[in-house]
Amino acid sequence: MRLFKKNVICSIIYNLTLKFMKKFDFLMICLLFSFTSYSQTNEDLAKAETKKMISELKLTGSQYEDLYNANLSLLIQSNDLKKSKDSEDAKAATLLKLEEKRKLIYKDLLTTEQYLNYEKNIELAANPIIKNTPETAEDIASKETAILTTELKLNREQVSPVYTIILGMTQKNLTAQNSEITTEEKEFTLIRSQEAKKTMLKEVLNSEQFSAYEKFLADQAKIKAEQPIPLPKEKKITAAEPAQIEEINN
């Protein structure tokens, strides 16, 4: 009888877990369950979360204080929600609002570069990259946008259109590289894509930023040109090839 009850309880827990997983996406689940340790206070957990952000986002002293207070407030609200008697649907709706609130607070407190890195960290946590997996167009565009955000001091209104332009050109380049066209045609496609990207970015950047972008491209080209060209490896002659060696000598 006890075994039967135990199996029934396990079955109920399993079904509830499946139902819960369907209702909440990854971020919401993290928000709901990331602070389940009863041995630590809300203050301890908020400090741990904010200290983690110091290394990941290179926070300043003032940012740390503001983000600690924000994380503590969000944590308290999240824990209060877990203890509430609201329905699962109501909790899900409230969690979504909390996550949107978090994003707005972080956008206000972080620099553009820091916020981009924060979003990237969240995405990596939800979709960890498997080693040896080739970079997607989105990965490449995100990295280049983050670099240009720092190099050109992009404002928040510029980041999205710059990313969109880079993503479009990157997708076109990857398609060309994976196609069956000749090497010369691939190189020509890359040159045309770069020119098209420059033209579109010129519409988004101000004159000072565009000059800095052209200098950035020139510096990158110089670095690439100075890199040593790898020499082809010499083929080792094995004992299985004496006939070929004799034929060459003759």
Side-chain angles (χ1 to χ4, degrees):
M1 185 66 180
R2 289 182 180 177
L3 181 59
F4 174 77
K5 286 183 178 180
K6 185 177 180 180
N7 289 338
V8 170
I9 292 171
C10 290
S11 178
I12 292 172
I13 292 173
Y14 176 77
N15 290 329
L16 286 174
T17 302
L18 287 179
K19 181 179 178 182
F20 187 82
M21 291 292 286
K22 290 177 181 178
K23 285 187 175 182
F24 294 86
D25 64 13
F26 177 85
L27 291 177
M28 297 304 103
I29 293 171
C30 285
L31 185 62
L32 185 61
F33 290 109
S34 60
F35 304 110
T36 56
S37 172
Y38 295 100
S39 62
Q40 291 179 293
T41 64
N42 289 333
E43 289 76 10
D44 292 333
L45 293 167
K47 283 180 182 178
E49 179 67 16
T50 313
K51 283 181 179 178
K52 183 181 177 185
M53 297 174 74
I54 291 178
S55 59
E56 292 179 345
L57 307 178
K58 297 179 175 59
L59 302 181
T60 63
S62 60
Q63 283 179 318
Y64 174 83
E65 291 297 327
D66 291 337
L67 284 166
Y68 165 76
N69 292 327
N71 286 333
L72 178 59
S73 174
L74 290 166
L75 176 58
I76 291 172
Q77 293 177 67
S78 175
N79 285 335
D80 288 344
L81 180 63
K82 286 191 291 182
K83 298 174 185 177
S84 73
K85 296 181 180 180
D86 294 343
S87 67
E88 295 299 327
D89 289 338
K91 287 182 179 181
T94 305
L95 282 172
L96 285 171
K97 291 179 181 178
L98 275 177
E99 186 59 27
E100 288 303 315
K101 184 178 179 181
R102 180 192 300 275
K103 289 181 179 180
L104 291 173
I105 292 173
Y106 283 7
K107 270 187 178 180
D108 185 53
L109 296 178
L110 299 173
T111 65
T112 304
E113 182 183 4
Q114 287 173 324
Y115 188 75
L116 280 173
N117 288 333
Y118 163 73
E119 287 193 317
K120 184 178 179 181
N121 291 339
I122 292 296
E123 185 178 349
L124 287 175
N127 304 287
I129 296 177
I130 301 173
K131 289 185 177 180
N132 300 325
T133 300
E135 284 187 313
T136 65
E138 289 76 10
D139 295 332
I140 297 171
S142 295
K143 285 184 179 180
E144 187 173 343
T145 303
I147 293 171
L148 293 184
T149 298
T150 303
E151 295 289 334
L152 309 182
K153 296 180 175 57
L154 302 180
N155 59 45
R156 291 178 181 175
E157 288 71 26
Q158 290 174 313
V159 172
S160 180
V162 166
Y163 171 79
T164 302
I165 292 169
I166 295 173
L167 177 60
M169 292 298 101
T170 303
Q171 289 172 333
K172 183 177 180 181
N173 292 342
L174 290 178
T175 300
Q177 289 174 11
N178 295 326
S179 68
E180 296 181 356
I181 60 177
T182 64
T183 302
E184 290 76 12
E185 289 174 321
K186 289 179 180 179
E187 291 177 354
F188 181 68
T189 300
L190 291 176
I191 293 171
R192 291 191 61 182
S193 292
Q194 183 59 40
E195 291 301 320
K197 183 164 71 172
K198 282 180 63 176
T199 300
M200 288 186 282
L201 287 175
K202 192 173 184 179
E203 297 297 319
V204 178
L205 307 175
N206 60 42
S207 57
E208 183 179 351
Q209 288 173 324
F210 188 72
S211 296
Y213 176 63
E214 289 187 310
K215 183 179 182 302
F216 171 77
L217 292 179
D219 291 341
Q220 293 300 306
K222 184 179 179 181
I223 292 171
K224 186 176 181 181
E226 291 174 351
Q227 290 178 343
I229 300 174
L231 297 174
K233 294 182 179 179
E234 293 184 4
K235 183 180 178 182
K236 293 183 179 179
I237 300 175
T238 64
E241 300 172 327
Q244 294 177 4
I245 297 171
E246 185 178 351
E247 183 179 344
I248 292 171
N249 292 332
N250 293 335

